[in-house]
Amino acid sequence: MDNYHVLELVGEGSFGKVYKGRKKYTSQIVALKFIPKLGKSEKELKGLRREIEIMRGLKHDNIIELLDSFDTDKEVVVVTDFAEGELFQILEDDASLPEEQASSGHSRTIGFSSVLPSLTQNPT
């Protein structure tokens, strides 16, 4: 956490908590996703790290970019671009965006947990 300031909680789900943050010494606003290690097996943590590496390689205008990731003693922290504005408000108010709306010109609609659903669900 040496490189980021946590500003405010913006969401909470089964995978953990998402905070709005700012990269230190810059004005760059980011999303900080804290995924608890507690209760996850070594296999699950290894899978999480593998998925993070896959996300690191994805570069597309419609995918929110993974900027950084790191471990603390208790959590894996994933840092992405922060999506705000109209799309953020829609997702915050409605909790989802129908496919037809997503494909009709909304850009940067795919976030980390949309591409990698196993981060938000416990594998069976």
Side-chain angles (χ1 to χ4, degrees):
M1 288 300 305
D2 294 339
N3 296 322
Y4 302 95
H5 292 289
V6 175
L7 302 177
E8 64 183 282
L9 179 67
V10 293
E12 191 169 354
S14 60
F15 66 94
K17 295 181 180 182
V18 179
Y19 291 87
K20 182 177 183 179
R22 183 178 59 78
K23 187 171 182 179
K24 288 183 178 178
Y25 314 112
T26 75
S27 60
Q28 182 180 14
I29 299 297
V30 298
L32 299 161
K33 302 177 184 198
F34 291 82
I35 304 165
K37 293 179 185 178
L38 185 64
K40 293 198 177 12
S41 68
E42 243 349 275
K43 183 178 178 181
E44 290 171 312
L45 290 172
K46 184 177 179 180
L48 171 62
R49 289 185 181 93
R50 186 176 61 245
E51 291 176 359
I52 289 170
E53 288 310 308
I54 291 168
M55 276 297 296
R56 196 176 305 283
L58 295 177
K59 306 291 184 204
H60 190 278
D61 288 344
N62 293 334
I63 298 176
I64 294 175
E65 185 176 354
L66 174 73
L67 302 172
D68 192 8
S69 66
F70 54 91
D71 286 45
T72 68
D73 290 340
K74 297 180 181 181
E75 297 157 315
V76 175
V77 182
V78 177
V79 183
T80 65
D81 283 335
F82 185 78
E84 60 183 331
E86 180 184 330
L87 176 60
F88 180 79
Q89 193 63 50
I90 290 169
L91 293 174
E92 188 174 68
D93 293 345
D94 301 338
S96 66
L97 184 65
E99 185 176 343
E100 58 274 5
Q101 270 75 23
S103 64
S104 70
H106 286 292
S107 64
R108 303 179 66 79
T109 59
I110 300 174
F112 189 73
S113 55
S114 299
V115 174
L116 304 171
S118 65
L119 293 179
T120 61
Q121 302 170 357
N122 289 330
T124 54

